[in-house]
Amino acid sequence: MQCLKKLFQVVENKAQYYNRINLIHRKGERTVLNLIHRFKHDFIQEFEGYEESEEEKHTYKEISEDYLGKILDGHRVFIIQPYIKWGFRKKRNTTPDLQLAEAVALVNTLPNWSVVGKKIVPLLTLQRNQLVGSGALETLKGEIRGCPGVTAVFVSTNLLKFVQIAILQKAFGLPIYDRYTVVIHIFHKHAKTAEAKLQVAIAEIPYIKKKMIDLAESNIGRTRIDDKTKELLETREKKLKNALQNLKEHRKLMKRQRQSYGFPTIAVVGYTNAGKTSLIKALTGDSSMEPKDKLFATLDTTVHQGYLPNKLKVLYIDTIGFIQDVPETLIEPFKVTLEDAIDANIIVHVYDMSHPDVNAQIQHIQKMLEPMIDKNKIIINVANKCDIVDKNSLEKETLPEDTYPISALKSIGTDLLRFKIEEEILKAANLITKRFKVPVGGHVATWLYKETTVTDAEPDSEDPQYLIMNVIMTTSAFYRLKRFCKQ
């Protein structure tokens, strides 16, 4: 009879214990979700305050369209892909054909834009006022005339000089775009939040100023910018920079909030359209995320809750993608949010292993990250889209060491990646594992569920009034627990 009573007591304690677990876990999950929601809400509240008068908006729109080109309802584009034939400026980690393919992808990213013709043009330099020689220019004019209904020309180099644009525009009788202007237009289409729109607006200013300087130094009969317009641009730039500084401070505050909750963070970085959002969706199971097969589909730095195999809650940070051959000033405003993201405990560098230019893309990301991170930062390399790659060709690729091949879309290899993240995050976030024997339903057990990650808990087989709890916790949480127990 005594044995039966003891058995019923164990069962009753277990039921109470699991009910308490579910309640505390639900509270913990709401805490994380509320934290993420508040971050997003604060973005909107903080940065929608930037305002302009109708006159300022109209004047700036005219200037922007004049220097960046009108987006219109679409374009039928002829692409010119220049490349340096030899010398120290020649790109040696890619090919003109691969550069052209990326230019096509950029054009196709814009709604109602399509490529109707393309031409690879070898050059000795990109600095001549007349970008191509007279013979090559006549050949290009003939090819453009031979394409049906061309409405714009895209010269796929990072930044054309104003005089180069003016000469090409006069020769072809069509608007001319470079990579800066095409990417800016993509940013405009994909920027949804006030934070992203602010950063895009700042990214425009250096381009417009550069073109104004080119105009002042050239003598092609164009109307000079008046003092009123210059003042408007200077005022706009000053307001935007102030807003950007506020964004920096806001990011610092958010970082402190994240740290105060003790959630380890993982920043996911990589080339544009490498599959960063798809990977986070696969790791978190967040059905609200909608990955898109487009360049620069993600402009906002967003935070998503996930769990590791040991039940540890972590935050994955999605980031804007990188791209080659664009001026530093185009990406500079986005470094505010990017630097905040890569200050995470560990970085996951994801790349598209099926892309023919994958090695050049990897090198570009490594070059961009190097000055921004500590040399001891843990980076996990992830090769996405392994399911569509010819296995025989993998041996020919010089991919980074310790690369984890996965398919984010089909969740191939993601479990192994989770275990790797779990292994690294314990070291990177200075987490410790402890084992405690605590009274069932007591204040210490409740505190541990609230302040730490309980990986396992079972009633003590020798004394059902106690729980044996295995937990993961920060060092600071361990000392807080000691103080709590002394009260």
Side-chain angles (χ1 to χ4, degrees), residues 185-319:
H185 287 312
I186 293 173
F187 282 3
H188 273 294
K189 288 295 182 182
H190 292 176
K192 303 302 180 184
T193 66
E195 183 181 36
K197 290 175 181 177
L198 166 66
Q199 292 171 109
V200 174
I202 295 173
E204 290 180 353
I205 298 294
Y207 186 91
I208 293 174
K209 290 175 70 175
K210 174 69 169 61
K211 289 295 180 286
M212 289 178 67
I213 293 171
D214 283 352
L215 175 60
E217 293 177 349
S218 65
N219 185 23
I220 56 175
R222 186 166 171 173
T223 304
R224 304 290 174 175
I225 303 298
D226 58 45
D227 291 337
K228 183 178 179 181
T229 302
K230 288 181 181 178
E231 184 179 352
L232 182 145
L233 282 174
E234 289 172 0
T235 302
R236 178 182 176 86
E237 183 177 25
K238 183 177 180 180
K239 288 181 179 179
L240 290 172
K241 284 184 175 180
N242 286 338
L244 186 64
Q245 184 59 41
N246 290 336
L247 174 57
K248 288 181 180 180
E249 297 302 321
H250 187 71
R251 281 284 172 180
K252 289 179 182 178
L253 175 61
M254 290 196 309
K255 178 184 173 182
R256 288 196 294 270
Q257 288 177 322
R258 282 202 305 264
Q259 291 174 333
S260 69
Y261 280 93
F263 301 128
T265 52
I266 299 105
V268 180
V269 304
Y271 207 81
T272 181
N273 207 33
K276 297 180 293 297
T277 303
S278 296
L279 176 58
I280 294 176
K281 182 174 183 177
L283 292 173
T284 63
D286 187 346
S287 59
S288 67
M289 300 184 74
E290 298 180 358
K292 297 177 182 177
D293 187 17
K294 293 181 178 179
L295 303 185
F296 299 110
T298 299
L299 289 184
D300 296 295
T301 298
T302 54
V303 182
H304 307 270
Q305 169 191 322
Y307 288 88
L308 297 178
N310 60 8
K311 302 178 185 177
L312 180 67
K313 287 190 287 283
V314 295
L315 298 180
Y316 292 95
I317 307 175
D318 201 0
T319 62

Side-chain angles (χ1 to χ4, degrees), residues 68 70 77 114 144 193 207 221 226 248 284 328 338 388 428-429 437 444 451 473:
L68 296 169
K70 294 182 179 180
V77 181
S114 60
I144 291 172
T193 66
Y207 186 91
D226 58 45
K248 288 181 180 180
T284 63
E328 180 73 12
L338 185 62
I388 59 174
K437 179 179 177 180
V444 175
E451 300 292 338
M473 62 200 309

